[in-house]
Amino acid sequence: MADKIMQRVSVNDSGTWVGTPKDFLDLGSREAVDQALSRLVKRGQLRRVGHGLYDRPGISKVLNRPAPVDLDAAIAALIRRDGVRVMPDGMVAAHQLGLTNAVPARVSYVTDGHSRTLKIDGRTVRFRHAGPSVMRWAGRPSAPVVQALRWLGPRAAEDARIVSTLSRRLPNNMKRDLLQNSRDLPGWALPLVHSITSDQAVMA
């Protein structure tokens, strides 16, 4: 069982994939999978990075020790395991897009699952339940932009720097997605989105 699990894990480069017991249940019973994962952790072949979360860590060339877990891969594992949708919260998205210098005190996401706080590789990760009007953007290319705009609020519509930054940085597929789904945005955001996507409107 342990060998089969490692064969599956090794398809991915070290540090790029996080798995849960559910990912291996086609190989055997839950008890057998749990026992095999425990043995692999004791051998140092896998690392337990959270409750029911395992990875094969990469090595930091700078520090010459196991690198921190790939948080995106850990979130993807939770999505697979729990059957939920997840998006970064507004401040995180705004920071990633260069719209704010505010650094989130902790990593936060919104989800259509339950609100909860988890420890992943020593980091506190918060998941906050959000309603359908927010989660309908999950999986869409423009989801980070919408999340950032919701966090910034109506004053963003009056800030020329927001338009300039997003017009310059957003790839065309995100702009097209924003334009095509603008009906799902709050009214105050529409003029801002039309300015950001003006080049797409011309192309169309």
Side-chain angles (χ1 to χ4, degrees), residues 111-136:
T111 178
D112 56 359
H114 298 297
S115 296
R116 55 181 172 165
T117 300
L118 301 178
K119 284 284 189 180
I120 299 178
D121 198 21
R123 302 175 69 181
T124 299
V125 182
R126 179 173 177 257
F127 297 87
R128 177 176 57 83
H129 178 78
S133 64
V134 173
M135 295 310 300
R136 70 179 49 163

PDB file of all heavy atoms in Angstrom, residues 111-136:
ATOM      1  N   THR A 111     -15.766  30.560   1.288  1.00  0.00           N
ATOM      2  CA  THR A 111     -16.154  29.227   0.846  1.00  0.00           C
ATOM      3  C   THR A 111     -17.662  29.056   0.939  1.00  0.00           C
ATOM      4  O   THR A 111     -18.328  29.774   1.704  1.00  0.00           O
ATOM      5  CB  THR A 111     -15.466  28.153   1.718  1.00  0.00           C
ATOM      6  OG1 THR A 111     -15.886  26.855   1.297  1.00  0.00           O
ATOM      7  CG2 THR A 111     -15.799  28.325   3.189  1.00  0.00           C
ATOM      8  N   ASP A 112     -18.191  28.116   0.181  1.00  0.00           N
ATOM      9  CA  ASP A 112     -19.601  27.762   0.347  1.00  0.00           C
ATOM     10  C   ASP A 112     -19.756  26.649   1.377  1.00  0.00           C
ATOM     11  O   ASP A 112     -20.862  26.166   1.622  1.00  0.00           O
ATOM     12  CB  ASP A 112     -20.247  27.375  -0.978  1.00  0.00           C
ATOM     13  CG  ASP A 112     -19.540  26.236  -1.693  1.00  0.00           C
ATOM     14  OD1 ASP A 112     -18.520  25.736  -1.169  1.00  0.00           O
ATOM     15  OD2 ASP A 112     -19.988  25.855  -2.784  1.00  0.00           O
ATOM     16  N   GLY A 113     -18.637  26.242   1.995  1.00  0.00           N
ATOM     17  CA  GLY A 113     -18.678  25.282   3.093  1.00  0.00           C
ATOM     18  C   GLY A 113     -18.794  26.005   4.428  1.00  0.00           C
ATOM     19  O   GLY A 113     -19.101  27.194   4.490  1.00  0.00           O
ATOM     20  N   HIS A 114     -18.515  25.286   5.502  1.00  0.00           N
ATOM     21  CA  HIS A 114     -18.629  25.853   6.842  1.00  0.00           C
ATOM     22  C   HIS A 114     -17.471  26.802   7.138  1.00  0.00           C
ATOM     23  O   HIS A 114     -16.358  26.617   6.643  1.00  0.00           O
ATOM     24  CB  HIS A 114     -18.650  24.743   7.896  1.00  0.00           C
ATOM     25  CG  HIS A 114     -19.816  23.813   7.774  1.00  0.00           C
ATOM     26  ND1 HIS A 114     -21.119  24.236   7.932  1.00  0.00           N
ATOM     27  CD2 HIS A 114     -19.881  22.479   7.515  1.00  0.00           C
ATOM     28  CE1 HIS A 114     -21.935  23.209   7.776  1.00  0.00           C
ATOM     29  NE2 HIS A 114     -21.208  22.132   7.517  1.00  0.00           N
ATOM     30  N   SER A 115     -17.737  27.803   7.971  1.00  0.00           N
ATOM     31  CA  SER A 115     -16.665  28.644   8.479  1.00  0.00           C
ATOM     32  C   SER A 115     -15.803  27.828   9.434  1.00  0.00           C
ATOM     33  O   SER A 115     -16.319  27.069  10.253  1.00  0.00           O
ATOM     34  CB  SER A 115     -17.241  29.861   9.218  1.00  0.00           C
ATOM     35  OG  SER A 115     -17.969  30.690   8.350  1.00  0.00           O
ATOM     36  N   ARG A 116     -14.491  27.972   9.322  1.00  0.00           N
ATOM     37  CA  ARG A 116     -13.584  27.227  10.192  1.00  0.00           C
ATOM     38  C   ARG A 116     -12.190  27.816  10.084  1.00  0.00           C
ATOM     39  O   ARG A 116     -11.879  28.563   9.151  1.00  0.00           O
ATOM     40  CB  ARG A 116     -13.546  25.745   9.812  1.00  0.00           C
ATOM     41  CG  ARG A 116     -13.195  25.484   8.355  1.00  0.00           C
ATOM     42  CD  ARG A 116     -13.203  24.010   8.025  1.00  0.00           C
ATOM     43  NE  ARG A 116     -13.055  23.771   6.599  1.00  0.00           N
ATOM     44  CZ  ARG A 116     -12.751  22.594   6.072  1.00  0.00           C
ATOM     45  NH1 ARG A 116     -12.549  21.556   6.864  1.00  0.00           N
ATOM     46  NH2 ARG A 116     -12.647  22.447   4.765  1.00  0.00           N
ATOM     47  N   THR A 117     -11.341  27.465  11.029  1.00  0.00           N
ATOM     48  CA  THR A 117      -9.949  27.881  11.023  1.00  0.00           C
ATOM     49  C   THR A 117      -9.075  26.637  11.119  1.00  0.00           C
ATOM     50  O   THR A 117      -9.302  25.783  11.988  1.00  0.00           O
ATOM     51  CB  THR A 117      -9.646  28.826  12.194  1.00  0.00           C
ATOM     52  OG1 THR A 117     -10.480  30.000  12.092  1.00  0.00           O
ATOM     53  CG2 THR A 117      -8.192  29.265  12.182  1.00  0.00           C
ATOM     54  N   LEU A 118      -8.106  26.517  10.211  1.00  0.00           N
ATOM     55  CA  LEU A 118      -7.234  25.345  10.165  1.00  0.00           C
ATOM     56  C   LEU A 118      -5.783  25.758  10.323  1.00  0.00           C
ATOM     57  O   LEU A 118      -5.399  26.888  10.006  1.00  0.00           O
ATOM     58  CB  LEU A 118      -7.400  24.610   8.827  1.00  0.00           C
ATOM     59  CG  LEU A 118      -8.795  24.095   8.457  1.00  0.00           C
ATOM     60  CD1 LEU A 118      -8.745  23.459   7.079  1.00  0.00           C
ATOM     61  CD2 LEU A 118      -9.301  23.109   9.480  1.00  0.00           C
ATOM     62  N   LYS A 119      -4.979  24.829  10.791  1.00  0.00           N
ATOM     63  CA  LYS A 119      -3.530  24.986  10.805  1.00  0.00           C
ATOM     64  C   LYS A 119      -2.952  24.168   9.657  1.00  0.00           C
ATOM     65  O   LYS A 119      -3.166  22.960   9.575  1.00  0.00           O
ATOM     66  CB  LYS A 119      -2.947  24.497  12.128  1.00  0.00           C
ATOM     67  CG  LYS A 119      -3.136  25.444  13.300  1.00  0.00           C
ATOM     68  CD  LYS A 119      -2.179  26.621  13.205  1.00  0.00           C
ATOM     69  CE  LYS A 119      -2.227  27.440  14.483  1.00  0.00           C
ATOM     70  NZ  LYS A 119      -1.296  28.598  14.409  1.00  0.00           N
ATOM     71  N   ILE A 120      -2.253  24.837   8.742  1.00  0.00           N
ATOM     72  CA  ILE A 120      -1.619  24.151   7.623  1.00  0.00           C
ATOM     73  C   ILE A 120      -0.138  24.496   7.635  1.00  0.00           C
ATOM     74  O   ILE A 120       0.233  25.652   7.410  1.00  0.00           O
ATOM     75  CB  ILE A 120      -2.260  24.558   6.277  1.00  0.00           C
ATOM     76  CG1 ILE A 120      -3.753  24.181   6.265  1.00  0.00           C
ATOM     77  CG2 ILE A 120      -1.527  23.883   5.114  1.00  0.00           C
ATOM     78  CD1 ILE A 120      -4.470  24.587   4.993  1.00  0.00           C
ATOM     79  N   ASP A 121       0.687  23.519   7.935  1.00  0.00           N
ATOM     80  CA  ASP A 121       2.139  23.705   8.003  1.00  0.00           C
ATOM     81  C   ASP A 121       2.504  24.860   8.935  1.00  0.00           C
ATOM     82  O   ASP A 121       3.380  25.665   8.633  1.00  0.00           O
ATOM     83  CB  ASP A 121       2.713  23.940   6.601  1.00  0.00           C
ATOM     84  CG  ASP A 121       4.212  23.705   6.547  1.00  0.00           C
ATOM     85  OD1 ASP A 121       4.741  22.998   7.422  1.00  0.00           O
ATOM     86  OD2 ASP A 121       4.860  24.234   5.620  1.00  0.00           O
ATOM     87  N   GLY A 122       1.784  24.943  10.058  1.00  0.00           N
ATOM     88  CA  GLY A 122       2.080  25.981  11.043  1.00  0.00           C
ATOM     89  C   GLY A 122       1.417  27.317  10.787  1.00  0.00           C
ATOM     90  O   GLY A 122       1.516  28.223  11.621  1.00  0.00           O
ATOM     91  N   ARG A 123       0.748  27.463   9.641  1.00  0.00           N
ATOM     92  CA  ARG A 123       0.084  28.727   9.314  1.00  0.00           C
ATOM     93  C   ARG A 123      -1.401  28.628   9.652  1.00  0.00           C
ATOM     94  O   ARG A 123      -2.033  27.593   9.430  1.00  0.00           O
ATOM     95  CB  ARG A 123       0.249  29.061   7.830  1.00  0.00           C
ATOM     96  CG  ARG A 123       1.687  29.153   7.388  1.00  0.00           C
ATOM     97  CD  ARG A 123       1.803  29.372   5.886  1.00  0.00           C
ATOM     98  NE  ARG A 123       1.338  30.684   5.489  1.00  0.00           N
ATOM     99  CZ  ARG A 123       1.318  31.110   4.221  1.00  0.00           C
ATOM    100  NH1 ARG A 123       1.710  30.299   3.248  1.00  0.00           N
ATOM    101  NH2 ARG A 123       0.908  32.319   3.938  1.00  0.00           N
ATOM    102  N   THR A 124      -1.946  29.711  10.181  1.00  0.00           N
ATOM    103  CA  THR A 124      -3.370  29.758  10.474  1.00  0.00           C
ATOM    104  C   THR A 124      -4.109  30.193   9.216  1.00  0.00           C
ATOM    105  O   THR A 124      -3.843  31.256   8.660  1.00  0.00           O
ATOM    106  CB  THR A 124      -3.660  30.753  11.611  1.00  0.00           C
ATOM    107  OG1 THR A 124      -2.975  30.319  12.790  1.00  0.00           O
ATOM    108  CG2 THR A 124      -5.148  30.828  11.901  1.00  0.00           C
ATOM    109  N   VAL A 125      -5.033  29.373   8.765  1.00  0.00           N
ATOM    110  CA  VAL A 125      -5.793  29.644   7.541  1.00  0.00           C
ATOM    111  C   VAL A 125      -7.273  29.671   7.907  1.00  0.00           C
ATOM    112  O   VAL A 125      -7.801  28.702   8.458  1.00  0.00           O
ATOM    113  CB  VAL A 125      -5.529  28.575   6.461  1.00  0.00           C
ATOM    114  CG1 VAL A 125      -6.284  28.911   5.180  1.00  0.00           C
ATOM    115  CG2 VAL A 125      -4.031  28.462   6.184  1.00  0.00           C
ATOM    116  N   ARG A 126      -7.914  30.788   7.592  1.00  0.00           N
ATOM    117  CA  ARG A 126      -9.321  30.969   7.966  1.00  0.00           C
ATOM    118  C   ARG A 126     -10.219  30.828   6.744  1.00  0.00           C
ATOM    119  O   ARG A 126      -9.924  31.375   5.681  1.00  0.00           O
ATOM    120  CB  ARG A 126      -9.520  32.363   8.578  1.00  0.00           C
ATOM    121  CG  ARG A 126     -10.949  32.674   8.996  1.00  0.00           C
ATOM    122  CD  ARG A 126     -10.995  33.989   9.746  1.00  0.00           C
ATOM    123  NE  ARG A 126     -12.354  34.357  10.111  1.00  0.00           N
ATOM    124  CZ  ARG A 126     -13.077  35.281   9.491  1.00  0.00           C
ATOM    125  NH1 ARG A 126     -12.567  35.950   8.476  1.00  0.00           N
ATOM    126  NH2 ARG A 126     -14.299  35.556   9.883  1.00  0.00           N
ATOM    127  N   PHE A 127     -11.305  30.103   6.901  1.00  0.00           N
ATOM    128  CA  PHE A 127     -12.319  29.950   5.857  1.00  0.00           C
ATOM    129  C   PHE A 127     -13.628  30.539   6.385  1.00  0.00           C
ATOM    130  O   PHE A 127     -14.104  30.143   7.450  1.00  0.00           O
ATOM    131  CB  PHE A 127     -12.520  28.473   5.503  1.00  0.00           C
ATOM    132  CG  PHE A 127     -11.300  27.811   4.930  1.00  0.00           C
ATOM    133  CD1 PHE A 127     -10.342  27.242   5.763  1.00  0.00           C
ATOM    134  CD2 PHE A 127     -11.096  27.763   3.559  1.00  0.00           C
ATOM    135  CE1 PHE A 127      -9.214  26.634   5.242  1.00  0.00           C
ATOM    136  CE2 PHE A 127      -9.970  27.153   3.024  1.00  0.00           C
ATOM    137  CZ  PHE A 127      -9.032  26.600   3.868  1.00  0.00           C
ATOM    138  N   ARG A 128     -14.179  31.483   5.643  1.00  0.00           N
ATOM    139  CA  ARG A 128     -15.424  32.146   6.058  1.00  0.00           C
ATOM    140  C   ARG A 128     -16.537  31.803   5.074  1.00  0.00           C
ATOM    141  O   ARG A 128     -16.373  31.962   3.867  1.00  0.00           O
ATOM    142  CB  ARG A 128     -15.220  33.664   6.122  1.00  0.00           C
ATOM    143  CG  ARG A 128     -16.474  34.449   6.475  1.00  0.00           C
ATOM    144  CD  ARG A 128     -16.145  35.929   6.615  1.00  0.00           C
ATOM    145  NE  ARG A 128     -15.547  36.480   5.409  1.00  0.00           N
ATOM    146  CZ  ARG A 128     -16.253  36.906   4.348  1.00  0.00           C
ATOM    147  NH1 ARG A 128     -17.576  36.805   4.335  1.00  0.00           N
ATOM    148  NH2 ARG A 128     -15.633  37.422   3.302  1.00  0.00           N
ATOM    149  N   HIS A 129     -17.661  31.339   5.594  1.00  0.00           N
ATOM    150  CA  HIS A 129     -18.780  31.002   4.719  1.00  0.00           C
ATOM    151  C   HIS A 129     -19.300  32.251   4.017  1.00  0.00           C
ATOM    152  O   HIS A 129     -19.469  33.306   4.628  1.00  0.00           O
ATOM    153  CB  HIS A 129     -19.911  30.359   5.521  1.00  0.00           C
ATOM    154  CG  HIS A 129     -21.114  30.043   4.685  1.00  0.00           C
ATOM    155  ND1 HIS A 129     -21.172  28.937   3.855  1.00  0.00           N
ATOM    156  CD2 HIS A 129     -22.287  30.719   4.512  1.00  0.00           C
ATOM    157  CE1 HIS A 129     -22.334  28.927   3.229  1.00  0.00           C
ATOM    158  NE2 HIS A 129     -23.036  29.995   3.603  1.00  0.00           N
ATOM    159  N   ALA A 130     -19.554  32.137   2.716  1.00  0.00           N
ATOM    160  CA  ALA A 130     -20.105  33.236   1.924  1.00  0.00           C
ATOM    161  C   ALA A 130     -21.316  32.740   1.153  1.00  0.00           C
ATOM    162  O   ALA A 130     -21.416  31.557   0.807  1.00  0.00           O
ATOM    163  CB  ALA A 130     -19.051  33.790   0.957  1.00  0.00           C
ATOM    164  N   GLY A 131     -22.229  33.641   0.881  1.00  0.00           N
ATOM    165  CA  GLY A 131     -23.472  33.290   0.223  1.00  0.00           C
ATOM    166  C   GLY A 131     -23.334  33.119  -1.281  1.00  0.00           C
ATOM    167  O   GLY A 131     -22.265  33.354  -1.863  1.00  0.00           O
ATOM    168  N   PRO A 132     -24.430  32.757  -1.938  1.00  0.00           N
ATOM    169  CA  PRO A 132     -24.423  32.479  -3.377  1.00  0.00           C
ATOM    170  C   PRO A 132     -23.980  33.661  -4.232  1.00  0.00           C
ATOM    171  O   PRO A 132     -23.332  33.468  -5.261  1.00  0.00           O
ATOM    172  CB  PRO A 132     -25.881  32.106  -3.676  1.00  0.00           C
ATOM    173  CG  PRO A 132     -26.420  31.620  -2.373  1.00  0.00           C
ATOM    174  CD  PRO A 132     -25.744  32.437  -1.329  1.00  0.00           C
ATOM    175  N   SER A 133     -24.326  34.887  -3.832  1.00  0.00           N
ATOM    176  CA  SER A 133     -23.961  36.047  -4.654  1.00  0.00           C
ATOM    177  C   SER A 133     -22.453  36.223  -4.752  1.00  0.00           C
ATOM    178  O   SER A 133     -21.949  36.758  -5.745  1.00  0.00           O
ATOM    179  CB  SER A 133     -24.601  37.322  -4.091  1.00  0.00           C
ATOM    180  OG  SER A 133     -24.097  37.604  -2.791  1.00  0.00           O
ATOM    181  N   VAL A 134     -21.739  35.782  -3.731  1.00  0.00           N
ATOM    182  CA  VAL A 134     -20.269  35.832  -3.746  1.00  0.00           C
ATOM    183  C   VAL A 134     -19.700  34.596  -4.415  1.00  0.00           C
ATOM    184  O   VAL A 134     -18.843  34.674  -5.307  1.00  0.00           O
ATOM    185  CB  VAL A 134     -19.721  35.971  -2.310  1.00  0.00           C
ATOM    186  CG1 VAL A 134     -18.194  35.851  -2.305  1.00  0.00           C
ATOM    187  CG2 VAL A 134     -20.140  37.295  -1.695  1.00  0.00           C
ATOM    188  N   MET A 135     -20.194  33.423  -4.035  1.00  0.00           N
ATOM    189  CA  MET A 135     -19.596  32.174  -4.493  1.00  0.00           C
ATOM    190  C   MET A 135     -19.917  31.846  -5.938  1.00  0.00           C
ATOM    191  O   MET A 135     -19.298  30.957  -6.520  1.00  0.00           O
ATOM    192  CB  MET A 135     -20.029  31.028  -3.581  1.00  0.00           C
ATOM    193  CG  MET A 135     -19.530  31.147  -2.149  1.00  0.00           C
ATOM    194  SD  MET A 135     -17.749  31.470  -1.993  1.00  0.00           S
ATOM    195  CE  MET A 135     -17.050  30.042  -2.816  1.00  0.00           C
ATOM    196  N   ARG A 136     -20.854  32.555  -6.546  1.00  0.00           N
ATOM    197  CA  ARG A 136     -21.135  32.293  -7.963  1.00  0.00           C
ATOM    198  C   ARG A 136     -19.927  32.606  -8.848  1.00  0.00           C
ATOM    199  O   ARG A 136     -19.853  32.157  -9.995  1.00  0.00           O
ATOM    200  CB  ARG A 136     -22.339  33.110  -8.426  1.00  0.00           C
ATOM    201  CG  ARG A 136     -22.101  34.588  -8.526  1.00  0.00           C
ATOM    202  CD  ARG A 136     -23.307  35.356  -9.019  1.00  0.00           C
ATOM    203  NE  ARG A 136     -24.537  35.017  -8.310  1.00  0.00           N
ATOM    204  CZ  ARG A 136     -25.635  35.755  -8.324  1.00  0.00           C
ATOM    205  NH1 ARG A 136     -25.648  36.893  -9.000  1.00  0.00           N
ATOM    206  NH2 ARG A 136     -26.708  35.385  -7.662  1.00  0.00           N
TER     207      ARG A 136
END
